[in-house]
Amino acid sequence: MKQGTAALDRIEYILNHPLDVADPSNPIPFVNIRGKVEFRDITFRYEENIALNTINTNVKPGQIVALVGPSGAGKTTFANLILRFFDPIEGKLLIDGIDVRNINQYDLRRNIAYVPQNPILFNDSVRNNIFIGRTDASSLSIEEAAEQAYAHEFIKDLPEGYETPLGEKGSRLSGGQIQRIAIARALIRNAPILILDEATSALDAESEKAVQKALYNLVQNKTVFIIAHRFSTIQLATRILVFDKGRIIADGDHSQLLNDCDLYRRLHNKQDE
Ligand code: ADP
Ligand code: MG
C-alpha cells in the first residue's frame, strides 16, 4: 500500500505538471520533411541567466553539423529547442519553413531521431529495446539496423541472441554496446532529422572504432546535429558551429576553424595532449 501511494504521488505530480509547450489549435501538416532547420533571432533563458543569445543559423537538408564548445555554452539547449522541449523567449525556429509552434508535437518528434548522451535501455529483450524506436516508415529490419549499427555481432553472441533480456539499465552490456543499441534504434526510426548528444564516457579503442563506423552509417542522408566531444566524431561533420556563452562564435569547417577560431584551436589542442 505504502509503495503504491508513493508511486501514485509521482504519477499525480506528472499528470498535474503544467505543460511547457502546447499543441496549436490548427496544426500545419508536417509530412515529407526535407530537414531544413532555421534559428531566427532565438534567445532562451531558463532562469535569469541567458542560455542562448540571439542565435541565427540556417542548416540545409542533409548537412552534418557538429556543435562544439565548453560545457555550459548552450549546445544542449540548442538541440532541445529543435525537439521543442521548450519554446524560445524571443525569435523562432523553423523546420522546412514552418514555425515549430504550428506543428503537432507528435508529428514533429516523429521526424526527429534523438540519441541522448546516456541512452536508456529497458529491462526487456534486445529486440524490444531496438524496436522501441520503430515507426511505420522504416524500411529496415531489426537485424539490418543492428548490422549497420555494428551491433549484430555482439548481439548474436549473447546467450539468447536478440531475445536476451538486458536486465536493469542494460547491465549486461558495455558502454560502447549500449551506444550501438541506441544507434540501431535511431536507424530503424529513419527520421529525416537526427540529434546526437555524444557520450562522454571513455570507450575502449575497439568500441570507439565500432561506434564511429556505426555513426557513419547513421548520419547518411539526414540533417544531423552532433554535440561532439571527440574529434574523431567531429570529422563526420561537414560544418562546425562553435558555441561560447550562449552564442555561436564561429561557423565553418575544421581547417577554417583551426585557422580562424582561437577557442576551437584550444579545444582541439587540449584533446591532443
Ligand atoms: P552545454 O550543453 O553546452 O554544456 P547547456 O545548454 O546545457 O550547455 O547550458 C547552457 C546554460 O544554461 C548553462 O549556463 C547552464 O547552466 C544553463 N542550464 C542548462 N539547463 C538548465 C536548466 N534545466 N535549468 C537552469 N539552467 C540550465
Ligand atoms: Mg550539454
Side-chain angles (χ1 to χ4, degrees), residues 46-47 51 70-77:
Y46 294 93
E47 283 140 15
S71 164
K75 306 176 297 291
T76 300
T77 306

Side-chain angles (χ1 to χ4, degrees), residues 14-168:
I14 289 167
L15 288 179
N16 296 330
H17 199 75
L19 295 173
D20 288 330
V21 295
D23 271 336
S25 43
N26 292 307
I28 294 178
F30 196 62
V31 287
N32 302 325
I33 300 312
R34 298 185 60 232
K36 178 179 171 211
V37 179
E38 195 180 344
F39 280 68
R40 247 188 233 168
D41 285 319
I42 289 191
T43 292
F44 183 81
R45 66 177 89 80
Y46 294 93
E47 283 140 15
E48 59 275 22
N49 291 336
I50 286 188
L52 285 179
N53 193 345
T54 355
I55 297 291
N56 277 294
T57 195
N58 221 324
V59 175
K60 294 196 189 91
Q63 248 179 5
I64 301 169
V65 181
L67 316 177
V68 305
S71 164
K75 306 176 297 291
T76 300
T77 306
F78 180 94
N80 286 347
L81 282 168
I82 302 170
L83 287 152
R84 202 179 170 216
F85 286 160
F86 26 71
D87 287 323
I89 291 170
E90 281 165 44
K92 54 180 156 182
L93 191 123
L94 302 111
I95 299 183
D96 282 15
I98 305 171
D99 189 326
V100 293
R101 278 174 288 215
N102 295 324
I103 303 168
N104 269 336
Q105 291 167 74
Y106 176 81
D107 292 341
L108 175 70
R109 295 192 188 130
R110 204 176 43 168
N111 282 286
I112 304 176
Y114 175 51
V115 180
Q117 204 159 27
N118 296 304
I120 294 172
L121 296 186
F122 300 99
N123 195 352
D124 202 337
S125 65
V126 175
R127 180 178 301 279
N128 288 340
N129 265 287
I130 296 177
F131 204 62
I132 203 121
R134 173 97 187 195
T135 65
D136 303 339
S138 183
S139 56
L140 286 182
S141 71
I142 283 193
E143 288 79 6
E144 285 170 322
E147 266 187 35
Q148 291 187 22
Y150 286 82
H152 181 71
E153 287 297 308
F154 78 77
I155 293 171
K156 105 182 155 0
D157 289 343
L158 293 171
E160 298 162 61
Y162 282 83
E163 311 312 324
T164 311
L166 282 182
E168 283 299 321

Side-chain angles (χ1 to χ4, degrees), residues 221-233:
N221 304 313
K222 298 183 181 85
T223 305
V224 184
F225 298 88
I226 313 175
I227 301 177
H229 303 285
R230 282 187 280 270
F231 273 80
S232 52
T233 308

